[in-house]
Amino acid sequence: RFYYDEIGDNDIRPWAYEMKRYLLSSLAILFIGGSVFAADEVRERVDGATTIGTLAAKSLHDQGLIFIDVRRVEDFNNGHIPGSKNLPVSGERFTQENLIGLVKKDHGVVFYCNGIYCKGSSIASERAVLWGWSQVHYYREGWPEWKGAGLPIE
Protein backbone atom coordinates (compact mmCIF):
# COMPACT_ATOMS: atom_id res chain seq x y z
CA ARG A 1 0.00 0.00 0.00
CA PHE A 2 1.07 3.55 -0.67
CA TYR A 3 0.90 6.43 1.76
CA TYR A 4 -1.82 8.23 -0.20
CA ASP A 5 -4.02 5.13 0.06
CA GLU A 6 -4.01 5.55 3.84
CA ILE A 7 -4.81 9.29 3.88
CA GLY A 8 -7.28 9.31 1.04
CA ASP A 9 -7.32 11.13 -2.28
CA ASN A 10 -8.70 14.34 -0.80
CA ASP A 11 -5.78 14.75 1.60
CA ILE A 12 -2.93 14.22 -0.89
CA ARG A 13 -3.70 17.20 -3.10
CA PRO A 14 -3.27 19.92 -0.45
CA TRP A 15 -0.04 18.29 0.71
CA ALA A 16 1.31 18.02 -2.85
CA TYR A 17 0.26 21.58 -3.59
CA GLU A 18 2.12 22.87 -0.52
CA MET A 19 5.22 20.84 -1.40
CA LYS A 20 5.18 22.14 -4.97
CA ARG A 21 4.78 25.71 -3.73
CA TYR A 22 7.66 25.27 -1.28
CA LEU A 23 9.96 23.82 -3.95
CA LEU A 24 9.14 26.56 -6.44
CA SER A 25 9.70 29.23 -3.80
CA SER A 26 13.04 27.69 -2.89
CA LEU A 27 14.13 27.56 -6.51
CA ALA A 28 13.10 31.18 -7.02
CA ILE A 29 15.14 32.26 -4.01
CA LEU A 30 18.16 30.36 -5.25
CA PHE A 31 17.81 31.77 -8.75
CA ILE A 32 17.27 35.37 -7.70
CA GLY A 33 19.64 35.28 -4.74
CA GLY A 34 22.33 33.45 -6.63
CA SER A 35 23.51 36.61 -8.34
CA VAL A 36 23.89 38.34 -4.96
CA PHE A 37 25.78 35.53 -3.24
CA ALA A 38 27.68 34.11 -6.22
CA ALA A 39 31.45 34.17 -5.86
CA ASP A 40 32.21 35.52 -9.31
CA GLU A 41 35.69 36.72 -10.08
CA VAL A 42 36.04 40.49 -10.17
CA ARG A 43 37.07 42.31 -13.28
CA GLU A 44 40.64 42.04 -14.46
CA ARG A 45 41.15 45.70 -15.34
CA VAL A 46 40.16 49.09 -14.01
CA ASP A 47 40.27 52.00 -16.47
CA GLY A 48 43.08 54.38 -15.55
CA ALA A 49 44.79 51.88 -13.23
CA THR A 50 47.51 49.31 -13.81
CA THR A 51 46.59 45.74 -12.90
CA ILE A 52 49.53 44.02 -11.25
CA GLY A 53 50.37 40.53 -10.09
CA THR A 54 52.26 39.38 -7.04
CA LEU A 55 55.76 39.80 -8.48
CA ALA A 56 55.03 43.38 -9.54
CA ALA A 57 53.40 44.05 -6.17
CA LYS A 58 56.53 42.83 -4.37
CA SER A 59 58.69 45.05 -6.57
CA LEU A 60 56.51 48.11 -5.91
CA HIS A 61 56.53 47.29 -2.19
CA ASP A 62 60.34 47.16 -2.25
CA GLN A 63 60.32 50.58 -3.99
CA GLY A 64 58.35 52.03 -1.09
CA LEU A 65 54.94 52.59 -2.68
CA ILE A 66 52.01 52.98 -0.32
CA PHE A 67 49.84 49.85 -0.04
CA ILE A 68 46.21 50.35 0.94
CA ASP A 69 44.43 47.33 2.37
CA VAL A 70 40.71 47.90 1.72
CA ARG A 71 39.52 44.89 3.72
CA ARG A 72 37.61 45.12 6.99
CA VAL A 73 39.54 46.22 10.09
CA GLU A 74 39.18 42.70 11.54
CA ASP A 75 40.78 41.15 8.45
CA PHE A 76 43.57 43.71 8.47
CA ASN A 77 44.29 43.04 12.17
CA ASN A 78 44.55 39.30 11.43
CA GLY A 79 47.37 39.91 8.94
CA HIS A 80 48.41 42.25 6.16
CA ILE A 81 51.25 43.26 3.84
CA PRO A 82 53.96 45.00 5.89
CA GLY A 83 53.53 48.75 6.09
CA SER A 84 50.04 48.68 4.57
CA LYS A 85 47.47 51.22 5.64
CA ASN A 86 43.92 50.06 6.31
CA LEU A 87 41.13 52.01 4.65
CA PRO A 88 38.07 49.76 4.27
CA VAL A 89 36.22 50.45 1.05
CA SER A 90 32.91 49.40 2.58
CA GLY A 91 31.51 52.04 4.86
CA GLU A 92 32.04 55.73 5.29
CA ARG A 93 35.81 55.84 5.83
CA PHE A 94 36.80 55.45 2.19
CA THR A 95 36.72 59.09 1.14
CA GLN A 96 38.94 61.27 -0.98
CA GLU A 97 40.00 63.21 2.12
CA ASN A 98 41.00 60.06 4.02
CA LEU A 99 42.89 58.74 1.01
CA ILE A 100 44.80 62.04 0.62
CA GLY A 101 45.79 61.66 4.28
CA LEU A 102 47.56 58.41 3.35
CA VAL A 103 48.97 59.11 -0.11
CA LYS A 104 49.29 62.23 -2.27
CA LYS A 105 47.62 62.23 -5.67
CA ASP A 106 50.90 62.32 -7.59
CA HIS A 107 52.40 59.34 -5.70
CA GLY A 108 51.99 55.69 -6.60
CA VAL A 109 49.48 53.66 -4.62
CA VAL A 110 48.59 49.96 -4.56
CA PHE A 111 45.11 48.77 -3.56
CA TYR A 112 44.49 45.20 -2.46
CA CYS A 113 41.88 43.09 -0.70
CA ASN A 114 40.98 39.37 -0.40
CA GLY A 115 41.90 38.27 -3.92
CA ILE A 116 40.08 37.69 -7.18
CA TYR A 117 36.67 37.25 -5.54
CA CYS A 118 36.86 40.52 -3.58
CA LYS A 119 35.54 43.62 -5.33
CA GLY A 120 37.06 46.04 -2.81
CA SER A 121 40.36 46.71 -4.55
CA SER A 122 38.72 47.27 -7.94
CA ILE A 123 36.21 49.70 -6.39
CA ALA A 124 38.98 51.53 -4.52
CA SER A 125 41.15 51.72 -7.64
CA GLU A 126 38.25 53.04 -9.69
CA ARG A 127 37.43 55.72 -7.11
CA ALA A 128 41.06 56.80 -6.79
CA VAL A 129 41.32 57.25 -10.56
CA LEU A 130 38.03 59.18 -10.55
CA TRP A 131 39.33 61.40 -7.74
CA GLY A 132 42.52 62.22 -9.67
CA TRP A 133 45.21 59.79 -8.55
CA SER A 134 47.55 59.25 -11.48
CA GLN A 135 49.59 56.20 -10.44
CA VAL A 136 47.02 53.65 -9.28
CA HIS A 137 47.99 49.98 -9.10
CA TYR A 138 45.22 47.41 -8.80
CA TYR A 139 46.60 44.32 -7.06
CA ARG A 140 43.77 42.02 -8.06
CA GLU A 141 45.25 38.83 -6.56
CA GLY A 142 45.70 40.58 -3.22
CA TRP A 143 46.31 39.22 0.24
CA PRO A 144 45.79 35.48 -0.45
CA GLU A 145 48.41 35.42 -3.20
CA TRP A 146 50.89 37.57 -1.28
CA LYS A 147 50.61 35.30 1.75
CA GLY A 148 50.57 32.15 -0.41
CA ALA A 149 53.82 33.22 -2.08
CA GLY A 150 55.52 33.22 1.31
CA LEU A 151 56.20 36.96 1.22
CA PRO A 152 56.58 38.93 4.48
CA ILE A 153 53.40 39.61 6.47
CA GLU A 154 52.49 41.50 9.61
Side-chain angles (χ1 to χ4, degrees):
R1 295 185 74 188
F2 293 96
Y3 178 70
Y4 65 82
D5 288 339
E6 294 174 12
I7 61 173
D9 287 339
N10 292 336
D11 294 331
I12 190 67
R13 289 191 179 132
W15 178 84
Y17 174 76
E18 287 300 316
M19 181 57 81
K20 179 180 174 183
R21 197 173 89 165
Y22 171 77
L23 290 173
L24 289 175
S25 297
S26 298
L27 287 173
I29 289 169
L30 286 173
F31 180 73
I32 293 168
S35 62
V36 174
F37 299 110
D40 295 332
E41 288 186 22
V42 296
R43 58 188 167 174
E44 293 185 18
R45 294 177 200 16
V46 172
D47 289 340
T50 304
T51 302
I52 61 171
T54 301
L55 292 177
K58 173 68 168 112
S59 176
L60 293 172
H61 187 265
D62 290 346
Q63 294 172 38
L65 263 71
I66 300 292
F67 275 59
I68 308 289
D69 184 329
V70 299
R71 300 176 300 154
R72 298 174 313 152
V73 174
E74 298 82 15
D75 293 331
F76 180 80
N77 290 339
N78 285 328
H80 55 271
I81 296 172
S84 296
K85 308 298 181 193
N86 185 231
L87 189 59
V89 77
S90 60
E92 299 174 8
R93 285 188 48 210
F94 197 86
T95 64
Q96 184 173 350
E97 294 75 25
N98 286 341
L99 188 55
I100 282 177
L102 297 175
V103 61
K104 303 300 176 216
K105 287 188 176 186
D106 60 344
H107 288 95
V109 61
V110 178
F111 293 101
Y112 76 92
C113 64
N114 277 325
I116 62 173
Y117 298 103
C118 177
K119 295 179 182 179
S121 55
S122 66
I123 292 169
S125 297
E126 184 176 56
R127 287 184 189 169
V129 168
L130 181 68
W131 293 335
W133 269 261
S134 57
Q135 299 175 48
V136 176
H137 301 276
Y138 165 43
Y139 182 22
R140 181 174 178 261
E141 297 168 346
W143 172 246
E145 290 296 318
W146 182 278
K147 187 177 176 185
L151 295 172
I153 60 173
E154 290 182 341

